[in-house]
Amino acid sequence: MSVYPLPVVRSLAVGTPPHTVTQAESREAVKQLFPRMSQRQTMLAVFDNAQIDTRAISRPPEWYLQPHGFAEKNAVYVEVTLELGQRLCQEALDQAGLLPQDVDAFVFVTSTGISTPSLESALMERMGINRHAARLPLWGLGCAGGAAGLARAADLVRAGYKNVLYLAVELCSLTLVQNDESKSNFVGTALFADGGAALVLGPDLGDFGEVGGGLLRLHGAFSTLIEDSADVMGWDVADEGLKVRFSRDIPALVTQMMRGNVEEALTHFGWTKDEVGTYVVHPGGVKVLSAYETVLELPGGALDTSRKVLREHGNMSSATVLFVLDEALRGQPQGKGLLSAMGPGFAAEHVLVEFPKDSA
């Protein structure tokens, strides 16, 4: 039996900036942003094929039709991240019945803007969070960051921290680069969105499964860095800001490696695939989700929560898988589950979770 306390997620709050855009509006906007590429129906078809209805963005839609430099975009990133982050952190603390001064560790995940000092320090000042809290800012994990950040927050609980606040905020819409007619930039306008999630983690106090005893347990995590894969996904830094870089080969990578990778992750902790009843998967795109379903031989509807989040919110990078978790929890899952995401590295991140069983 492990000598470490088993981490439990005690609260989860998700949210977005106030502005929204429909996929139809985005499709019309790219005709102005990228007139040459928009003449190709195969490119415009990306907006329909993405199977996204609406997305949240940090500024009104018309703001994105004008050019903005890196400094201006990053200033918006800082402003909106602090506003959204404070609201979500307070909501997560309220759900957990904690005060800001109760927090003894703060994990912050992001990849869509930069700040030194990192922004969790500013939130600590704003909210009156314990000044002695350990800080762990994680940058550059991209879409995998939601899972990886959860794993690192759980590690802090195992290390003895009692009230770990975990925040992930991504403002992907701010990475739109004017006049960049690369396919990656164009496709990003059909996929990327803004959002965040905050969670409170702590040790299992023996009340798991009871009211207030936690939303889920975290049993372990498994990370895999794929060799020679840096070109698959990431940012290229330009004068205009962060330019998205991703490969159309991501679904193929899922097909090639995910079955063996998931089996390796489960075996590492003595689990089997037959025991896993709930899959919480980052919806990087509809093709990625289809590849997951096929290679893992999942039953129909297994990834409906991922598809619902993609349809209603788009791809919010690291925060997205936490939106999927929030959606999955609404269905009151029971027993063992797997939370998974892939991102820059190129890497796969898995967290083995357990949902409370019905005590009735």
Side-chain angles (χ1 to χ4, degrees), residues 202-264:
D204 185 352
L205 301 177
D207 57 351
F208 185 68
E210 301 177 12
V211 175
L215 304 174
L216 64 155
R217 281 178 177 152
L218 306 177
H219 283 267
F222 194 81
S223 302
T224 304
L225 179 65
I226 304 167
E227 62 183 13
D228 299 324
S229 61
D231 62 326
V232 173
M233 180 180 290
W235 301 128
D236 292 318
V237 181
D239 291 341
E240 299 86 356
L242 302 173
K243 286 178 53 176
V244 65
R245 178 201 330 141
F246 54 63
S247 169
R248 62 186 300 176
D249 297 331
I250 296 173
L253 274 173
V254 173
T255 300
Q256 293 166 14
M257 67 164 285
M258 198 48 64
R259 182 181 180 88
N261 190 246
V262 166
E263 289 178 352
E264 189 176 4

Side-chain angles (χ1 to χ4, degrees), residues 13-27:
V14 299
T16 62
H19 305 287
T20 60
V21 63
T22 67
Q23 194 72 327
E25 290 170 336
S26 297
R27 195 175 189 269

Side-chain angles (χ1 to χ4, degrees), residues 8-13 89 91-96 98 103 157 162-166 198-202 215:
V8 170
V9 174
R10 299 206 172 275
S11 64
L12 168 59
C89 286
E91 185 176 339
L93 290 172
D94 290 344
Q95 287 180 22
L98 297 175
V103 173
V157 175
K162 304 298 184 185
N163 298 308
V164 179
L165 180 60
Y166 166 35
L199 302 84
V200 171
L201 292 83
L215 304 174

Side-chain angles (χ1 to χ4, degrees), residues 292-306:
Y292 264 99
E293 286 176 325
T294 299
V295 74
L296 296 181
E297 299 178 336
L298 300 181
L303 299 184
D304 280 356
T305 53
S306 295

Side-chain angles (χ1 to χ4, degrees), residues 164-226:
V164 179
L165 180 60
Y166 166 35
L167 173 68
V169 176
E170 303 287 9
L171 307 181
C172 303
S173 72
L174 299 177
T175 66
L176 170 67
V177 176
Q178 290 268 349
N179 302 318
D180 170 24
E181 297 206 355
S182 66
K183 287 186 177 180
S184 291
N185 191 43
F186 189 94
V187 172
T189 64
L191 293 176
F192 285 160
D194 302 346
L199 302 84
V200 171
L201 292 83
D204 185 352
L205 301 177
D207 57 351
F208 185 68
E210 301 177 12
V211 175
L215 304 174
L216 64 155
R217 281 178 177 152
L218 306 177
H219 283 267
F222 194 81
S223 302
T224 304
L225 179 65
I226 304 167

Side-chain angles (χ1 to χ4, degrees), residues 65-349:
L65 299 178
Q66 304 300 321
H68 304 281
F70 195 3
E72 183 182 358
K73 292 178 186 177
N74 202 69
V76 173
Y77 162 81
V78 171
E79 174 192 331
V80 176
T81 296
L82 290 176
E83 291 174 353
L84 179 60
Q86 182 172 353
R87 172 164 62 87
L88 294 174
C89 286
Q90 189 62 59
E91 185 176 339
L93 290 172
D94 290 344
Q95 287 180 22
L98 297 175
L99 298 174
Q101 54 264 39
D102 295 325
V103 173
D104 55 5
F106 195 162
V107 178
F108 174 52
V109 169
T110 192
S111 294
T112 46
I114 59 173
S115 176
T116 303
S118 49
L119 294 182
E120 83 287 342
S121 64
L123 289 170
M124 289 172 67
E125 292 276 3
R126 285 187 175 203
M127 299 180 65
I129 290 174
N130 172 19
R131 290 178 179 272
H132 301 292
R135 295 164 49 205
L136 183 59
L138 301 173
W139 196 91
L141 295 168
C143 296
L150 186 61
R152 300 295 78 77
D155 288 341
L156 288 172
V157 175
R158 295 186 185 96
Y161 292 91
K162 304 298 184 185
N163 298 308
V164 179
L165 180 60
Y166 166 35
L167 173 68
V169 176
E170 303 287 9
L171 307 181
C172 303
S173 72
L174 299 177
T175 66
L176 170 67
V177 176
Q178 290 268 349
N179 302 318
D180 170 24
E181 297 206 355
S182 66
K183 287 186 177 180
S184 291
N185 191 43
F186 189 94
V187 172
T189 64
L191 293 176
F192 285 160
D194 302 346
L199 302 84
V200 171
L201 292 83
D204 185 352
L205 301 177
D207 57 351
F208 185 68
E210 301 177 12
V211 175
L215 304 174
L216 64 155
R217 281 178 177 152
L218 306 177
H219 283 267
F222 194 81
S223 302
T224 304
L225 179 65
I226 304 167
E227 62 183 13
D228 299 324
S229 61
D231 62 326
V232 173
M233 180 180 290
W235 301 128
D236 292 318
V237 181
D239 291 341
E240 299 86 356
L242 302 173
K243 286 178 53 176
V244 65
R245 178 201 330 141
F246 54 63
S247 169
R248 62 186 300 176
D249 297 331
I250 296 173
L253 274 173
V254 173
T255 300
Q256 293 166 14
M257 67 164 285
M258 198 48 64
R259 182 181 180 88
N261 190 246
V262 166
E263 289 178 352
E264 189 176 4
L266 296 176
T267 301
H268 186 77
F269 291 95
W271 289 19
T272 66
K273 184 175 176 294
D274 291 339
E275 295 177 284
V276 178
T278 302
Y279 285 86
V280 179
V281 176
H282 169 72
V286 291
K287 290 183 179 179
V288 172
L289 291 176
S290 295
Y292 264 99
E293 286 176 325
T294 299
V295 74
L296 296 181
E297 299 178 336
L298 300 181
L303 299 184
D304 280 356
T305 53
S306 295
R307 286 194 167 87
K308 184 174 188 292
V309 169
L310 182 65
R311 183 173 64 253
E312 296 178 356
H313 297 284
N315 186 340
M316 301 167 287
S317 191
S318 67
T320 320
V321 76
L322 302 174
F323 273 68
V324 178
L325 176 60
D326 180 68
E327 188 65 36
L329 287 168
R330 297 176 191 275
Q332 299 182 325
Q334 298 181 33
K336 294 180 177 179
L338 187 69
L339 184 147
S340 300
M342 302 182 78
F346 192 67
E349 299 283 347

